[in-house]
Amino acid sequence: MRPRTAWQAMAQRPLSFLGSAWPWRSLAYLASGVLVGAAALVVLAAGLVAGAVLLVVLVGVAPLVGVVLSAVAVAAVERWRLRLVDLDPAEDPHRAPDAPGPRAWAATRLTEPVTWRELGFTLLSAAALWWLDLLVLFFSFGVPALCFSSLDGATWPWSAFGALVLLASPYTVTSWAGARAALARTLLAPRDAELGARLREVKASRARLVDAFDAERQRIERDLHDGAQQQLVSLGMTLGLMHLDVPPGSPLGPQLARAQEQLGTAHEELRRIVRGLNPPVLADHGLAAAVREQAGRFPIPVTVDLDLPVRLPRQLETGVYYLISEAMTNIARHSGAGRARVSGRYHADLLVLEIADDGRGGADPALGSGLTGLADRLTAVDGRMRVSSPAGGPTLLHVEIPCRFG
């Protein structure tokens, strides 16, 4: 695996590391750290002056504001320098201002926790870190230079010590550079924050896909209802008129009657499919009514006990309905149950569902059963599921879905 940081490079290949660019990158990181740390003192002083000016120009803005906003600039430079010894991107964690203009920019920055972490890092860098950078560089290269400068017969042990220090300098410099970079990463661009941002983007992308699927499902339902279903009705009327025109006793009469019967069956099947795609009772009366309506058509008795304070958001309501529908379909196909129960309550921002049956049990999500589809549906709404299904039954499916009403 290709190393992403100087520490990884030194730990993975301690010998070949000496011939790589990492020691030179670490040296550049520390050398520039001395310059940035010294500059941070100047920037902080300038920030105090700028804050005093802002106190006069913008009423209510204290001189501390200048120091804090100067720390933002120093932190931006530190994140840029971090690429020398850490190849993972260090994204700017600041959010965009709520409005244009310097006042809105300053107000936004002062309310962000990352800004105060940047201030702490800048003060630490100005007070200590750049001095430690300078000390490590002096020990790694200054001490050997002093030892070599006084080379004679009496001081050769010091020259040998200087040679050892110089030979170890790539490891010394890289070790401190890695520690300093880890501190900068933790305070200025934590990997947890980057992971959180990526997870938020994944969730947003998943929500967009769910919305697109819901819109496509509604389009299919509308096309079937307004297109194919109406054509079947028209065809049925045509067959009925033809049947009226057939003379009594004609062999075409029974054939037309069978055709009308088959057409009626196809029409009813299509209506069932359309109703399953977008149940009217779900849109008109909500989840509890839709589940009760479905339970009325179920081949075994189903007790429905859904007590929700208000209606769920449309997307969540649709997702929960199809979750319950798929769970009930699994019961009908695989459980051999004689009775089933669907209950639901709302507790502390959680929708808690329980779907139970008295069937043979033995359901296991790890075996690729119908529970896999339920888990996929729950993932789309950030829910979780627990299954209790001992051999011989009964089976209990416990579902928790985070949601807020209002």
Side-chain angles (χ1 to χ4, degrees), residues 219-241:
R219 185 192 66 78
I220 294 172
E221 183 270 337
R222 185 174 58 252
D223 290 346
L224 289 175
H225 182 273
D226 298 339
Q229 196 167 6
Q230 297 303 319
Q231 291 178 11
L232 288 178
V233 171
S234 177
L235 179 58
M237 294 177 62
T238 302
L239 288 175
L241 292 174

Side-chain angles (χ1 to χ4, degrees), residues 352-399:
V352 180
L353 300 173
E354 288 189 349
I355 305 169
D357 66 75
D358 60 357
R360 66 177 64 94
D364 187 356
L367 299 179
S369 63
L371 296 175
T372 304
L374 297 179
D376 292 340
R377 289 190 182 277
L378 281 172
T379 301
V381 292
D382 293 329
R384 60 181 181 177
M385 173 180 71
R386 287 178 292 179
V387 180
S388 174
S389 184
T395 296
L396 174 63
L397 181 68
H398 182 90
V399 174

Side-chain angles (χ1 to χ4, degrees), residues 47-65:
L48 285 173
V49 176
V53 174
L54 289 174
L55 182 62
V56 177
V57 177
L58 302 175
V59 177
V61 180
L64 179 61
V65 174

Side-chain angles (χ1 to χ4, degrees), residues 271-322:
R271 288 181 58 188
R272 187 187 64 80
I273 293 174
V274 171
R275 190 167 55 243
L277 283 173
N278 191 24
V281 66
L282 177 65
D284 296 338
H285 303 289
L287 178 65
V291 174
R292 290 191 184 98
E293 193 259 351
Q294 184 188 32
R297 304 192 310 270
F298 206 61
I300 63 174
V302 179
T303 302
V304 178
D305 181 19
L306 290 174
D307 185 12
L308 304 178
V310 294
R311 290 193 60 172
L312 300 173
R314 183 188 61 81
Q315 179 180 320
L316 180 59
E317 187 174 63
T318 303
V320 172
Y321 173 79
Y322 282 111

Side-chain angles (χ1 to χ4, degrees), residues 239-240 242-244 246 250-265:
L239 288 175
M242 291 175 63
H243 198 188
L244 292 175
V246 172
S250 172
L252 290 177
Q255 295 180 9
L256 287 174
R258 284 195 300 272
Q260 284 183 296
E261 183 181 351
Q262 292 172 359
L263 183 62
T265 302

